[in-house]
Amino acid sequence: MRFRHRRARELEEGESYYVSMTDLMVGVLFIFIIMLAYFALHFRDTTEELISAKDAQTTALMQVATDLRARQAEIEVDNRNRIVCLKDTDLLEAGATGDRRCFAYSAVTPGRNTDETTQRIAAAQALFASSLNGDIGSAVPSASVNLSDGSTSFDADRLFTTGTATLTDEGRTAVAELARGLAARLPCMAYGVSVSNCPETPKMNLVTIVAYANINAAITEGRAAQALSLERSVVFHQALLTAQPVLGQLKNQPQGGEPLLRLVSVSQSSSSAPSGGSGKTLAIRFEMAAPAQK
């Protein structure tokens, strides 16, 4: 009976040993599964963080640029004003003349002092500017689109017949292409019209059509040039609304609010300005509102 008793005890001790090992292996396997699930869940975020730019504006542009190719190019950089210039032979595959092309780049430097709101607005501006440039860049070569915020400038004397507020053929093309691009994008960034399938993006606070001119206000011709500059901005504004009536319905607030598209005329008086004025530019500026806090 003693032999049987000792044998039973040895069997119990052996079985207990194997049970403990099984529990240990199950515990290790369970921890391994938890770690694997954790890394799987964070793989996408980690990969995006590693391959994306730290600047929100650059990251946004990289989402649009789907066919980037490396090229050797000599660039000139104005660090103070954040302007970079290079020859169009490094940019264009056809039609290059060897002239310089200059662009503004983001003044937003990523870091601890750059808040999320600023980064988000910069990214939204970059996407809007890139899209707008794609809309009108090829159709209106004379248009100058700032790729930081989308501000677009035109030579007023090319948009209008000399000395008048009558649109030229180039001016009508510019109006049509610009209106089409704005009508495709602004309704999702404003209020006043019903839209669907809009991406989450900050709203526009103001879109301003600005007429610039250097004039001599001391003479009759200078004041006439100032009046013509204002009249041209009015004609340009009306032409945009005629081409795409939806632009006239856009507001900057959900309830009430002001029209999104507005007019400004800026004239700088100088005694050295020619009698008919100079530096006549028509531009459209975009001002984004800060995203609402959640």
Side-chain angles (χ1 to χ4, degrees):
M1 294 298 294
R2 288 182 181 179
F3 174 78
R4 291 181 179 179
H5 177 71
R6 186 167 54 249
R7 181 63 178 170
R9 186 173 58 188
E10 289 176 354
L11 289 173
E12 289 178 0
E13 290 177 352
E15 183 178 355
S16 176
Y17 171 77
Y18 285 115
V19 168
S20 298
M21 286 294 295
T22 302
D23 291 342
L24 179 62
M25 291 302 297
V26 169
V28 171
L29 182 60
F30 184 68
I31 294 174
F32 176 75
I33 293 174
I34 291 177
M35 292 179 63
L36 186 63
Y38 173 83
F39 285 115
L41 289 173
H42 289 77
F43 175 77
R44 181 177 179 181
D45 293 339
T46 304
T47 303
E48 183 176 352
E49 182 178 354
L50 290 173
I51 66 174
S52 65
K54 300 303 180 183
D55 178 16
Q57 178 173 342
T58 302
T59 302
L61 290 175
M62 288 173 65
Q63 295 174 6
V64 180
T66 57
D67 188 25
L68 290 173
R69 286 170 286 176
R71 286 190 177 183
Q72 296 294 329
E74 182 178 345
I75 66 172
E76 299 171 281
V77 181
D78 181 341
N79 291 313
R80 179 178 179 181
N81 296 305
R82 297 186 181 273
I83 296 174
V84 59
C85 298
L86 64 164
K87 292 183 178 180
D88 63 2
T89 51
D90 296 318
L91 294 173
L92 305 176
E93 295 182 352
T97 61
D99 294 334
R100 289 194 304 177
R101 299 290 183 94
C102 297
F103 308 90
Y105 59 92
S106 174
V108 178
T109 303
R112 293 182 180 179
N113 296 327
T114 302
D115 59 40
E116 182 180 351
T117 298
T118 302
Q119 285 283 301
R120 189 177 173 194
I121 291 177
Q125 287 177 320
L127 278 174
F128 176 78
S130 177
S131 300
L132 186 62
N133 184 60
D135 291 336
I136 68 174
S138 58
V140 190
S142 60
S144 176
V145 181
N146 186 318
L147 294 181
S148 293
D149 58 15
S151 297
T152 306
S153 300
F154 303 91
D155 182 346
D157 284 335
R158 294 185 62 171
L159 295 181
F160 298 92
T161 303
T162 303
T164 74
T166 302
L167 287 166
T168 61
D169 290 341
E170 181 177 345
R172 284 188 287 272
T173 299
V175 166
E177 296 299 329
L178 179 60
R180 185 181 295 110
L182 296 180
R185 307 183 193 287
L186 288 184
C188 284
M189 307 174 76
Y191 305 94
V193 297
S194 178
V195 289
S196 59
N197 300 322
C198 288
E200 183 179 353
T201 181
K203 299 294 187 180
M204 282 286 178
N205 184 53
L206 182 65
V207 177
T208 312
I209 297 171
V210 189
Y212 296 94
N214 298 321
I215 55 116
N216 184 353
I219 61 176
T220 303
E221 292 85 349
R223 294 191 293 274
Q226 180 182 22
L228 177 61
S229 181
L230 176 59
E231 180 65 20
R232 284 176 166 180
S233 67
V234 172
V235 169
F236 191 81
H237 176 261
Q238 291 176 340
L240 286 175
L241 301 189
T242 300
Q244 295 290 338
V246 68
L247 298 176
Q249 303 173 32
L250 301 179
K251 306 286 185 180
N252 64 354
Q253 295 293 333
Q255 299 296 330
E258 297 290 333
L260 190 65
L261 272 70
R262 284 178 261 177
L263 293 170
V264 173
S265 179
V266 179
S267 296
Q268 181 175 349
S269 180
S270 172
S271 59
S272 61
S275 59
S278 64
K280 302 170 188 176
T281 304
L282 198 65
I284 184 164
R285 309 292 183 198
F286 304 94
E287 177 186 315
M288 279 192 170
Q293 297 296 325
K294 296 184 178 179

